[in-house]
Amino acid sequence: MNQIVRNVGIMAHIDAGKTTTTERMLFYTGVNNRIGEVDDGNATMDWMEQEKERGITITAAATTCSWKGHRINIIDTPGHIDFTVEVGRSLRVLDGAVALFSGVEGVEPQSETVWRQADRYRVPRIAFVNKMDRPAADFHRCVRMIKDILKANPLILQIPVKDGDELLGNVDIITQRATYYDNATRGIEYTVKDIPAHLKDEALVLRERLMESLAEIDDGFMTAYLDGALIEETEIKRIIRKGTLSGAILPVLCGSSFKNKGVQPLLDAIVDYLPSPADVSPYEYWTIEGEEGYLKGTPDEPFSGLVFKIMNDPFVGQLSYMRIYSGELKTGETVLNNSKGRTERIGRIIRLHANKREEVKKIQAGDICAIVGLKGASTGDTLTGQDFEILFETIEVPAPVVSIAIAPKKKDDLKKMWLVFNRYTVEDPSLNVKLDSDTGEVILSGMGELHLDIIMDRARREHNLDMLSSPPQVAYRETITKSVTGIGKYIKQSGGKGQYGHVVLHVSPIEGADFVFENKIVGGVIPREYISSVEAGVKERMEKGVLFGYPLVNIKVELIDGSYHEVDSSELAFKLAGSLGLKDGVTKANPVILEPIMKVDINVPGDCLGPVIGDLSSRRGRIAELGDRNDFKYIVAHIPLDEMFGYTTHLRSATQGRGYYTMEFFHYTPVPQHILENLMKNREKTVTEALYG
C-alpha cells in the first residue's frame, strides 16, 4: 500500500501558479468535472472567503486524487511570507514536493525561503516551470537561476514548443517526441508527434546531457551507457528516480497550468520520481526516556502519527490533520497523545478534499487524514497506540513579530472575542493572544500585517464580531546582560492564616533558548511541593516582562535558596514570590529591550536602485547582499521591523509600481538608545481606554 501513495506538497513564490496547477491536477484525475480559477474566486483549494477575494492561498489545503493506480495526497501551500509556518508544518509531514517557478520571474525571494525549508526536512523535489505561455517567459533562464541561486542540479526532462508567444506543447527529452495539447478539450486530448525541426538539435544535446548525468548516479547505468547499449525508458526513469530521492538531481518539466498544457506529464513525474512513504523510511523517533529509535513505516507496526495542523470546521468541530507513520488507525480506538500525556478517542476519520470530506473507517501507514473528536491535540503532537510511548520531532513555530491591541465595540462581546481568538491560536500556532493584566488590553500577535488582517477579517465574518484595533506595533522582547541574584518575598498577615513565600534566584543570560528553569534547592529549605509554583510564577513574569511589559527571553533561572513557614506557606505565596524574585533580578541585571530585525529581499528596476538604497539607510537598514536577478536589481537588507510599516506603499511610489519585496524574521538585537527613549515617551493609549474611557 505504501508503494502506491505519494504525499506531495506544492510550493512556490506567491502568484507562481500553485493553486492553478493543483486545480488542473484535480480536473485531469477526475476529482473535479470543472476547473476552478483563482482569479474567478472559485478555486477548490482556496476555499476560505479571504482566499477567494484576495486571490492568494492562506491556509494549506489538502486533497486526494488518483493517477495511474497511485493515490496522490496533495497539499497546496501558501506563498506569502506571513503564512510561511503553513509551508513549514506541511513539509514536515510530506515525502516529496513540486517546486513551481514562473517562467517569467524565475526564482523569486519566497522560492528561496521555501526551498531552504524543504532542504531542512530533506524533501526530494521535482521542478515545474510554469507560465510558459507568457511572452516574456524564458525556460532556460529559469533553469540557470535554479542552478545558480538555489544551488540545485537541474536535469531538463522537457523543453517548451512555441509558435511565437503561443505555447503549443513540450518535447520529452527521454522519448525524443513532442506532445501537442488540444485547446478545445482543455488539454484532455493531445497528440504525440515528431520533434519540430528547429528543436531537434537542442533535444539531442539535452538527451546526451541527461544520460551523462544519470551515468554519474549509477555505476551499472554508466557501464551500459559507455558500452553503447540500448537503455530502455523504464531504466532511464528508474535512475532519474534514484537521483531525485537522493537529492543528486532535480528533474525539470515545463508548461502552462492556466492554458492546460503540461499538467499530465507533471502527474506522471510525481508518480515516477517522487518518493512513496516506503522510500523515505525509516522514521526517527525518541522514547519518553529520550532514547532514539526508528520505524519502518509499515501497517503491521504499532500505530503512530503526527498532528501537523488544526482547523475548526463549523459543521464537524475541530479537525486534526495527521500524518500516519506506522500501523493502522480505526474509528472508535483509544490512542495516546504522548506530547500531552493523555488519552484520546478517535471519532471520525476523514480523507481530505479541500473543504469536502470523505469518511473512512480506517487509515494506514503512509497516509494523510483528518480526525474528528480529538479534544486536546495541537500542532506537533505525537499520537500512538496504547503501549507505544514515543515522540516524533515536533514542528518549529517562529515567534510572532507584530502585535495589535483589540477590543470589541460592545463590552458584552469581550468574552466571545477572547474565546474566538483563542480558538484561532489552536489552528495557527504562529498566532498569539493574551490579556495584559496591567492595561486590560487583549493583545493579538502574528507574523505580519497581512496575517493579523486576515485573522481579524475571519473573526468579523465567521463570528459576527464588531471590533476596533490599534495600529500594528512591533513585538519587542526584554532580556538581561549580566548574572545577578534576585530575592522574592511574599509575606502577608491578615489576622487569620497568612501567606509566606521566600525565594532566592540566580538569574543569568543564556543563548539558544528563551527560558530555562533549574531547581538547585538542597536540604529542603523549600518543600518539593512548592517548587513547581515557583517555576509557574517565574514563567508568568517572563511573559509579562519587567521594563515595558514585553516578554522576557534568553534567561536562565536557578532556584538556589529560600525559606518557608509551616503554617502560612502556600502554592500561591511561592508563585508570587517566584514572580517577585525574577522581577528583582531582572531589574538589577542591566535589562535591555530587543527589537526584531527582518531579512528583506527587495527587487527593483536598475534605474531605481539609488533612491531605494538611500531610503533603506534612513530606515536603519544594513545592506547584506546586492546583485542582479533577471532584468532587476535585488537587495538583501537587514532592517528593524519598526521601520517597515507602510513600506509597500513607499516602494511602489519610488519604483512606479514595479518594485516588490518579501520579508522574514532574522534575529533580535538591542534597541538603540534613541529608539528606547521614544518607546518610553510614546506609550500609546490603549484601545480599551480609547473605547471605554
Side-chain angles (χ1 to χ4, degrees):
M1 172 119 177
N2 266 344
Q3 297 285 355
I4 66 169
V5 174
R6 299 290 185 271
N7 295 313
V8 178
I10 312 291
M11 62 184 210
H13 187 89
I14 189 171
D15 202 33
K18 297 181 305 298
T19 300
T20 301
T21 301
T22 307
E23 293 294 325
R24 270 45 180 194
M25 289 180 178
L26 298 180
F27 177 68
Y28 294 123
T29 57
V31 174
N32 289 346
N33 57 16
R34 55 172 289 280
I35 297 178
E37 302 292 4
V38 175
D39 292 343
D40 296 338
N42 58 10
T44 304
M45 301 297 282
D46 285 348
W47 55 272
M48 293 173 60
E49 291 300 320
Q50 293 80 4
E51 293 176 314
K52 294 177 181 179
E53 292 175 0
R54 299 167 190 252
I56 63 172
T57 300
I58 294 169
T59 182
T63 190
T64 298
C65 60
S66 296
W67 185 252
K68 296 185 176 179
H70 292 73
R71 184 165 68 250
I72 305 175
N73 297 318
I74 305 171
I75 294 184
D76 175 23
T77 61
H80 196 285
I81 193 69
D82 280 14
F83 308 102
T84 192
V85 67
E86 288 281 341
V87 181
R89 63 182 177 179
S90 298
L91 288 170
R92 170 66 178 82
V93 298
L94 293 173
D95 302 321
V98 177
L100 236 66
F101 302 94
S102 166
V104 179
E105 288 81 12
V107 177
E108 298 177 269
Q110 186 64 1
S111 308
E112 296 181 62
T113 300
V114 296
W115 193 268
R116 290 197 303 272
Q117 289 178 299
D119 281 343
R120 179 176 181 266
Y121 293 116
R122 300 181 295 278
V123 177
R125 280 144 275 179
I126 59 177
F128 183 72
V129 181
N130 194 26
K131 302 188 178 184
M132 289 307 303
D133 58 302
R134 302 286 182 87
D138 189 330
F139 174 74
H140 290 290
R141 182 185 64 185
C142 185
V143 173
R144 288 194 300 272
M145 293 178 73
I146 291 172
K147 183 178 181 178
D148 296 340
I149 298 174
L150 302 179
K151 309 303 179 186
N153 184 20
L155 183 70
I156 296 175
L157 301 185
Q158 293 177 339
I159 55 175
V161 179
K162 301 185 76 169
D163 181 7
D165 290 333
E166 184 184 0
L167 179 67
L168 303 177
N170 46 46
V171 171
D172 189 311
I173 301 302
I174 298 174
T175 64
Q176 293 289 285
R177 300 282 284 170
T179 301
Y180 295 84
Y181 295 90
D182 180 51
N183 292 327
T185 62
R186 309 193 77 171
I188 294 176
E189 295 182 7
Y190 53 86
T191 55
V192 180
K193 301 179 181 178
D194 290 337
I195 299 174
H198 70 285
L199 293 175
K200 280 186 177 180
D201 290 345
E202 181 185 352
L204 284 171
V205 170
L206 288 172
R207 194 178 195 279
E208 194 66 20
R209 289 180 187 172
L210 182 150
M211 301 298 280
E212 290 172 356
S213 297
L214 299 183
E216 295 176 1
I217 295 171
D218 188 270
D219 291 341
F221 190 96
M222 177 181 287
T223 301
Y225 173 66
L226 294 176
D227 290 344
L230 178 64
I231 303 176
E232 298 290 338
E233 180 182 337
T234 54
E235 178 64 5
I236 295 173
K237 289 185 174 181
R238 186 183 73 83
I239 306 303
I240 294 174
R241 178 180 183 83
K242 179 180 178 180
T244 304
L245 298 190
S246 69
I249 56 173
L250 174 73
V252 183
L253 299 91
C254 62
S256 169
S257 298
F258 185 68
K259 296 292 185 177
N260 311 304
K261 295 177 173 72
V263 178
Q264 295 99 319
L266 177 59
L267 285 163
D268 289 340
I270 290 172
V271 169
D272 292 339
Y273 307 133
L274 289 181
S276 71
D279 293 317
V280 295
S281 66
Y283 303 108
E284 189 176 31
Y285 68 81
W286 286 265
T287 65
I288 303 299
E289 293 77 26
E291 296 179 0
E292 190 177 16
Y294 294 89
L295 287 167
K296 295 179 181 178
T298 60
D300 57 351
E301 291 177 300
F303 159 71
S304 67
L306 182 74
V307 177
F308 68 94
K309 178 181 172 68
I310 301 293
M311 189 180 78
N312 286 296
D313 187 284
F315 302 104
V316 300
Q318 182 171 296
L319 283 172
S320 302
Y321 287 56
M322 184 162 56
R323 164 69 189 266
I324 311 298
Y325 281 102
S326 64
E328 183 178 85
L329 185 65
K330 299 177 181 178
T331 57
E333 289 185 334
T334 299
V335 298
L336 287 176
N337 183 333
N338 292 315
S339 304
K340 297 288 195 302
R342 57 177 292 173
T343 59
E344 295 267 16
R345 187 178 180 277
I346 302 299
R348 296 159 58 193
I349 301 174
I350 304 277
R351 199 178 298 283
L352 303 159
H353 181 57
N355 64 330
K356 299 178 183 177
R357 323 285 184 221
E358 176 196 353
E359 190 168 343
V360 296
K361 295 299 181 184
K362 67 178 182 180
I363 203 85
Q364 288 187 320
D367 236 327
I368 290 175
C369 66
I371 307 296
V372 180
L374 300 182
K375 298 180 180 178
S378 54
T379 297
D381 284 359
T382 299
L383 271 61
T384 67
Q386 292 270 34
D387 300 317
F388 194 44
E389 297 185 3
I390 66 166
L391 290 167
F392 293 116
E393 180 187 2
T394 191
I395 298 171
E396 289 188 8
V397 178
V401 294
V402 177
S403 299
I404 56 174
I406 58 176
K409 288 186 177 180
K410 300 177 182 177
K411 283 188 177 181
D412 292 345
D413 282 344
L414 181 61
K415 183 178 180 182
K416 177 182 176 182
M417 184 187 76
W418 178 253
L419 292 172
V420 166
F421 282 103
N422 269 281
R423 191 177 301 153
Y424 287 152
T425 64
V426 175
E427 289 186 17
D428 182 355
S430 65
L431 190 71
N432 180 266
V433 63
K434 68 176 184 178
L435 178 65
D436 190 317
S437 57
D438 296 327
T439 65
E441 291 179 313
V442 176
I443 306 296
L444 184 67
S445 305
M447 301 309 299
E449 294 179 79
L450 178 62
H451 186 199
L452 296 181
D453 184 44
I454 294 291
I455 292 295
M456 292 287 290
D457 190 50
R458 285 187 62 188
R460 293 186 180 102
R461 296 191 191 207
E462 296 170 8
H463 300 280
N464 198 31
L465 276 170
D466 197 4
M467 299 167 293
L468 293 180
S469 62
S470 71
Q473 303 291 319
V474 174
Y476 294 99
R477 299 287 189 268
E478 301 178 8
T479 194
I480 59 176
T481 56
K482 70 175 185 179
S483 299
V484 298
T485 298
I487 299 174
K489 287 186 178 180
Y490 185 75
I491 302 173
K492 187 177 181 181
Q493 299 293 335
S494 56
K497 186 178 184 299
Q499 295 283 355
Y500 185 96
H502 168 220
V503 300
V504 181
L505 307 175
H506 183 258
V507 182
S508 56
I510 59 168
E511 295 183 2
D514 281 347
F515 172 63
V516 173
F517 179 87
E518 291 184 3
N519 174 28
K520 295 294 183 70
I521 291 295
V522 294
V525 294
I526 297 177
R528 184 175 297 274
E529 62 262 30
Y530 296 137
I531 303 299
S532 60
S533 299
V534 177
E535 183 177 2
V538 169
K539 286 182 177 178
E540 188 174 277
R541 177 54 63 181
M542 289 285 296
E543 294 174 1
K544 296 174 64 174
V546 171
L547 294 178
F548 295 137
Y550 302 121
L552 285 156
V553 295
N554 305 130
I555 292 178
K556 180 179 181 179
V557 178
E558 298 168 282
L559 177 58
I560 59 175
D561 202 359
S563 62
Y564 76 103
H565 190 281
E566 290 186 357
V567 177
D568 292 345
S569 286
S570 66
E571 292 181 355
L572 175 63
F574 273 100
K575 180 181 177 181
L576 293 170
S579 176
L580 292 169
L582 181 60
K583 182 179 180 180
D584 179 60
V586 169
T587 304
K588 298 185 292 189
N590 292 344
V592 294
I593 300 295
L594 303 175
E595 64 176 341
I597 305 298
M598 312 304 288
K599 179 185 176 185
V600 187
D601 193 316
I602 309 163
N603 294 262
V604 299
D607 57 356
C608 303
L609 184 63
V612 170
I613 288 179
D615 177 67
L616 294 179
S617 298
S618 71
R619 297 174 184 270
R620 298 190 285 134
R622 295 184 178 181
I623 308 299
E625 194 175 340
L626 185 65
D628 297 308
R629 181 180 284 140
N630 297 337
D631 299 326
F632 275 44
K633 297 289 186 181
Y634 77 89
I635 310 159
V636 178
H638 300 152
I639 309 173
L641 177 60
D642 188 47
E643 305 286 351
M644 292 301 297
F645 294 121
Y647 187 65
T648 300
T649 302
H650 178 86
L651 184 64
R652 286 173 181 167
S653 175
T655 62
Q656 294 80 51
R658 294 178 294 165
Y660 62 94
Y661 75 98
T662 63
M663 181 172 69
E664 61 181 309
F665 173 76
F666 185 47
H667 66 215
Y668 277 97
T669 192
V671 171
Q673 185 60 36
H674 70 281
I675 303 295
L676 182 61
E677 291 172 358
N678 287 335
L679 284 175
M680 296 173 66
K681 291 177 183 177
N682 301 321
R683 299 288 289 170
E684 294 189 9
K685 193 176 185 183
T686 70
V687 173
T688 306
E689 289 172 336
L691 285 171
Y692 307 131

